[in-house]
Amino acid sequence: MPYLLAPNDPSASFPDVGEALADPDGLLAVGGDLSVARLVNAYRHGIFPWFSEGDPILWWSPDPRTVLRPPALRISRSLRKVLKRRSFGVTMDRDFPAVINACSAPRADGGGTWLVSEMISAYRALHVHGVAHSVEVWQDGTLAGGLYGVAIGGIFFGESMFTRVDNASKVALVHLCRFLDTQGFALIDCQVLTGHLLRMGAELLPRARFVRLVEQYRDQPTPRGSWDDGAVTFPEAPAPAGTVTEVRHAR
């Protein structure tokens, strides 16, 4: 049985991630709350919340873990052409509410959404505290795609992304990887494996190895507060070449 977290005690410790269930993969704990303190504590130990409407709060740490090292992002030839056309402008933390609301839209395949209202409120609070950040991709003044996640030390924990225009989410990821690389981030946590992520350069790490990396980098200085520098960027392709296909929701 997963560990039962007491409500209204955000400082309470999570169990060791090695106690997570194998089926369902990574389920570690149930209950608690989504306060800023509890969420930061969870991410600092390689744990994240994920639950559906009507469920209790569920906490996860799957094994293995999918990660992407920012310099290792692979860019397809077609995406390089998109970047060269400079048809998308990119900002950061310019409109976090719009990004997370777009990520919460029900999926076209009828799979619903895991971003229930309680989760949206929690991540907006993290954003206000300078811990959660968004990337916005614009075309002709309209939000075309984007992503958001949580920055703890030298790890960016990717949460979700969306696209309304072909290639917009890919452009968001390119910009994020370039920014994180310049800031000395070691990893993007992608949480769950997909074929898309593997083609982008992601790799699988055993949970124990991932948690050791989190422990190594979680106290690294992180740019806190807003990442909005007031500019609109037109990212160019980084040096590594490879294949990238369309990316949708992280989960």
Side-chain angles (χ1 to χ4, degrees):
M1 293 292 291
Y3 184 82
L4 183 63
L5 288 174
N8 305 318
D9 185 10
S11 63
S13 298
F14 283 90
D16 186 277
V17 296
E19 299 180 22
L21 300 181
D23 185 17
D25 179 26
L27 180 58
L28 177 67
V30 177
D33 57 56
L34 295 176
S35 64
V36 169
R38 176 102 63 181
L39 284 168
V40 170
N41 184 29
Y43 282 105
R44 284 178 58 83
H45 291 86
I47 302 163
F48 59 87
W50 181 17
F51 60 98
S52 300
E53 191 74 50
D55 290 340
I57 300 173
L58 304 177
W59 302 89
W60 303 78
S61 184
D63 186 19
R65 196 70 162 244
T66 306
V67 303
L68 176 62
R69 302 176 192 272
L73 178 70
R74 295 177 186 156
I75 304 297
S76 68
R77 182 177 300 176
S78 61
L79 181 54
R80 289 175 181 274
K81 292 179 180 179
V82 170
L83 296 170
K84 187 175 182 180
R85 288 199 295 268
R86 296 168 60 89
S87 57
F88 294 108
V90 182
T91 58
M92 302 188 77
D93 286 343
R94 189 71 54 86
D95 199 342
F96 185 93
V99 170
I100 195 169
N101 286 341
C103 288
S104 72
R107 304 183 188 196
D109 60 7
T113 178
W114 63 274
L115 264 172
V116 298
S117 58
E118 188 177 3
M119 290 277 276
I120 293 174
S121 297
Y123 284 101
R124 289 187 66 168
L126 279 180
H127 176 65
V128 170
H129 281 77
V131 179
H133 302 277
S134 60
V135 178
E136 302 89 17
V137 178
W138 307 90
Q139 186 177 65
D140 300 326
T142 300
L143 189 62
L147 60 82
Y148 80 96
V150 175
I152 302 288
I155 311 288
F156 187 87
F157 297 86
E159 280 298 318
S160 192
M161 62 200 317
F162 77 98
T163 187
R164 293 170 175 162
V165 178
D166 287 347
N167 299 304
S169 58
K170 297 185 228 178
V171 172
L173 185 60
V174 170
H175 183 83
L176 177 68
C177 286
R178 298 196 71 188
F179 174 80
L180 296 180
D181 198 28
T182 64
Q183 299 298 318
F185 279 73
L187 290 176
I188 299 173
D189 171 32
C190 304
Q191 299 176 351
V192 180
L193 175 66
T194 68
H196 297 307
L197 291 172
L198 285 177
R199 287 188 286 272
M200 291 189 307
E203 59 183 295
L204 286 171
L205 293 181
R207 179 172 55 215
R209 170 63 175 155
F210 172 75
V211 170
R212 286 197 297 272
L213 288 172
V214 172
E215 292 171 347
Q216 177 181 347
Y217 290 106
R218 66 189 178 189
D219 293 319
Q220 176 177 305
T222 297
R224 294 294 295 268
S226 176
W227 289 358
D228 183 6
D229 62 1
V232 178
T233 302
F234 295 87
E236 299 176 357
T243 301
V244 174
T245 56
E246 188 64 51
V247 183
R248 300 281 176 174
H249 293 273
R251 302 196 204 116

